[in-house]
Amino acid sequence: MSSSIKSTALEPTKAELEQLSTAQKLWRLAPVFGLPIFTVILIVLFSVVLPDTFPTMLNLRSILNDKSIIAILSLAAMIPMMAGRIDLTVGYGIVLWHVLAIALQTKMGLSWPMACLIVILLGCVLGLINGFLVELAQIDSFIATLGTGTILYALAQWYTEGRQVIGVLPKGFTELYSSMPLGIPISTFYVAALAIALWAVAEYLPIGRYLYAIGANQRAALLNGIPTRRYVIGSFVASGILGAIAGILLAARLRIGQASVGLEFLLPALVGAFLGSTTIKPGRVNVWGTIMGVAILAIGISGIQQMGGDFYVEPLFNGITLLIAIGLAGYAQRRRGSVTHTRAQQPNSPPPTAA
Amino acid sequence: MSSANPELLLQIDHVSKRFPGVVALDDVSFDVRRGEVLGLLGENGAGKSTILKIISGAQLPDQGTIYWDGKPVSITSPQTAQSLGIVTIYQEFNLVPTLSVAENIFIGREPLHFGRFVDWKKMRADARAITQRIGLSIDPDAPVSELSVAEQQMVEIARALSIEARLIIMDEPTSALSGAEVDRLVGIVRTLRSQGVSVMFVTHRLEEAMTLCDRVTILRDGKLAANLNRDELAIPTFIEKMVGRAASNLYSRPTTRRQAGAVRLSIRGLKSVVTAEKQRGVVLKGIDLDIRAGEILGIAGLVGAGRTELARAIFGADMKTADRFQIDGEDVTIRSPRDAMRYGIGLVPEDRKLQALFLQLAIRRNFSVASLDRFMRLGVFVDEAKEAAELQRFRTMMNVRMTGPDQLISNLSGGNQQKIVLSRWLSLDPKILIVDEPTRGIDIAAKAEVHEILDTLANRGIAVVVISSELPEVMAVADRIVTMREGRLTGEVAPEEATQEKLMSLMALDDATVKG
């Protein structure tokens, strides 16, 4: 019913690696580091072809500046994915949130911190609604969030009536995005802080263990005393809040609110998280994998555009990379699967380390 | 091996199969004759699954030849196997639950009108004819999802017959069936045999192999251990060939009797609450039961008697009402597994894969999922070192064969997986541990180990409840046996007085005295 995302871990264990030859080790580790290696290859390639424009601080800044919002949305989408759910509202929400973040200031006359707070609260409410629909009304997460997302989009259209929301914004608000501490766009620091915090939660806190357990087998999770409903709803709330923050940052960046902007973030954000599930901890969505996924898309697209690629290159590159990465991961998994199976049949043979 | 014998349908001739680091099959030879039931026995890991995969076309042998009708064949795909007339019925059925019985039987081979449109009338009639051939009265239009497991299995057999299978391979066909259903399946297998169809019957249940099979092939550690003829069939022989030693003490009872302690859990008038969501299940109709510290209470009953429902109700997994529900003499309310765990109750559920394991996660995560509170550093982080140390303690205690805490649990055998599930609960120091089908799908050696573990737990003062479909198992481990039928307790028997016949009559007969 709620099987939008299935995952099977591919990460080799130390003990497994010990008994393999170097070539086999590389093959087994390829899924773990394939994407980072490909990223490095792309960087080297573009740096050689475009020595004047690609490997520059300016380009790095522009990539970081451009992609930080997608990175935050990707991380937002990743949280419900840990529990085996998908949240499409990360892309729809940002449309309404960035319009509201501006309108609450220019039309309602609220201070910018107040406007931000209200948007974040609304993001939280959206997450609760999504969580209730998925866990209490038992609607598949894909369908539930497609529904709520479309409604949000309609609200944004209705509110703006197709016009731009403009007005003078306080410096404090626009600096949320435009300041450059240490010469690096501030949004980079947001992404870094968020990634580190989420990584600690996902890998080292019980809540991360529980979310992955729910994603792996919800029935078993329940029978092990994990309050699965609460955690799944919580994962949507976290995703909703991060989506709202991304909306605020988009508003600070564009300084104009319009309902035609934002939806194009949905697919890259999901692609980032899906790509992430093929690397670092292959087989399950994970923080550094997600960051890696967003990074490879950013680097690839930047390079291709500088080489004169057209405007449609971005979605083309996103789509192709996703299919190749997921395809290869699935292939590696099936190959592994056949070997795993025979290993599982040999309980009476001594453990491989002793063999 | 002579390939001229016209009696022989399938010959496996010196077949070997290797996987990286493992010889799964080593020079195995045996044959299946026309119209016979061949039993295939062996512990988990003996190579049964590999030989099944080779015969059904899922894998190719590295060495050796397969003869079909006396001619060498290369079974390169399941389609090849099917075109030869080999059909395999796995434990997990290949049925489409939303489609009807008739549609499932003829899936991919629907009878057609004008070569294009499905001829529903003919399909129904054909389906009815085939199901009648195996004595199954079932509505061909019923969706498969509404059938019982046993009926679904019959549909699989009907499908095999509809493609004129000459060899039907059944992989553990009885593991999910109750006593009466097993009898019915045995009847069907005999019917098939009388119609000239050969059956290869893979089973863990030695009694079944004894009653049903004409001959038995036994594998051990990937090698052929024995090809036994009708007159050589005997359960002690099976066990000896399977484990490679005389197993005189299989299911033997410990000689010292335990003294049961105080009543841990006292239940009166426990009833299921039937909700709209859960209408189909078995309903508990008033259960009175006391469970004592330091005893193993065995619960015996046929599938559908309400054993699992009782376990789930006690554990808070299903809604219930009770006149009395006391732990250590105090009234408690348990509404969720979480509540139950707070009061020291643990449940090892019957279906490991579906209800207990997180197959794609590492052993350590499977081990500590219920007891993470005990492995914390600074009150916030999971203390992985402590977790690994505790896991290591259980690994040694239970003799778990694994490479390390980060190995995937799906790479362990059923027995070792079950030991990890037991460790999971033991790391919580439970007062009451309910174990539903403790040894389902695990091999004989591991079974004995699991029984030993349960015994140790009871000796330590834990109230252990063992639910099992295998009467010999209940009789071997329990200090006290209660029987269930249709949601009620129907009797209590001391293990010294218990015989399979006596228990079966309490479990299955209408006129059994209803207790309380």
Side-chain angles (χ1 to χ4, degrees), chain B residues 329-389:
Chain B
E330 287 188 30
D331 287 306
V332 297
T333 312
I334 289 177
R335 288 206 188 83
S336 68
R338 204 174 172 71
D339 290 345
M341 287 161 63
R342 216 169 282 141
Y343 290 111
I345 306 178
L347 171 68
V348 175
E350 60 177 332
D351 191 322
R352 257 195 314 283
K353 275 188 191 164
L354 284 181
Q355 297 164 346
L357 296 180
F358 304 94
L359 283 173
Q360 58 266 57
L361 299 182
I363 293 171
R364 71 158 74 230
R365 286 174 176 244
N366 274 278
F367 163 67
S368 64
V369 66
S371 55
L372 272 184
D373 298 351
R374 302 191 173 214
F375 308 113
M376 299 297 280
R377 196 155 33 101
L378 309 172
V380 189
F381 296 103
V382 177
D383 188 339
E384 296 202 333
K386 195 172 167 194
E387 178 187 59

Side-chain angles (χ1 to χ4, degrees), chain A residues 12-29:
Chain A
T13 65
K14 274 184 206 138
E16 268 177 84
L17 288 175
E18 270 169 22
Q19 46 160 355
L20 299 174
S21 71
T22 317
Q24 282 173 315
K25 260 184 218 169
L26 286 177
W27 174 247
R28 289 285 290 109
L29 282 171

Side-chain angles (χ1 to χ4, degrees), chain A residues 34 40 127 164 182 192-193 203 214 220-221 225 244 269 287 305 313 321 351:
Chain A
V40 171
Q164 293 187 335
L182 309 172
E203 297 297 325
I214 293 168
V287 172
Q305 282 176 342
V313 163
T321 313

Side-chain angles (χ1 to χ4, degrees), chain A residues 143-309:
Chain A
I143 297 166
T145 58
L146 186 63
T148 50
T150 312
I151 292 170
L152 284 186
Y153 188 57
L155 287 177
Q157 301 279 1
W158 164 74
Y159 186 76
T160 59
E161 295 174 324
R163 286 194 290 273
Q164 293 187 335
V165 179
I166 33 176
V168 181
L169 294 167
K171 200 161 175 259
F173 182 71
T174 55
E175 278 185 345
L176 284 177
Y177 198 85
S178 62
S179 44
M180 298 255 278
L182 309 172
I184 296 170
I186 190 165
S187 55
T188 313
F189 293 97
Y190 303 150
V191 173
L194 178 63
I196 290 170
L198 272 182
W199 165 71
V201 171
E203 297 297 325
Y204 296 103
L205 294 197
I207 188 173
R209 294 277 189 104
Y210 294 148
L211 284 177
Y212 281 125
I214 293 168
N217 188 343
Q218 180 154 4
R219 278 170 81 183
L222 193 63
L223 286 178
N224 281 290
I226 300 174
T228 55
R229 281 192 172 164
R230 211 185 301 162
Y231 279 107
V232 171
I233 294 171
S235 75
F236 278 104
V237 170
S239 166
I241 290 173
L242 290 182
I245 291 173
I248 291 168
L249 292 178
L250 184 65
R253 174 179 163 193
L254 299 176
R255 302 172 195 190
I256 291 170
Q258 50 188 352
S260 57
V261 170
L263 205 49
E264 71 276 15
F265 289 118
L266 171 60
L267 293 176
L270 293 179
V271 170
F274 277 124
L275 274 181
S277 71
T278 66
T279 189
I280 313 291
K281 307 248 176 225
R284 52 187 170 100
V285 290
N286 63 88
V287 172
W288 300 120
T290 302
I291 294 292
M292 208 57 239
V294 174
I296 190 171
L297 295 181
I299 289 162
I301 289 158
S302 158
I304 293 171
Q305 282 176 342
Q306 287 184 25
M307 286 166 70

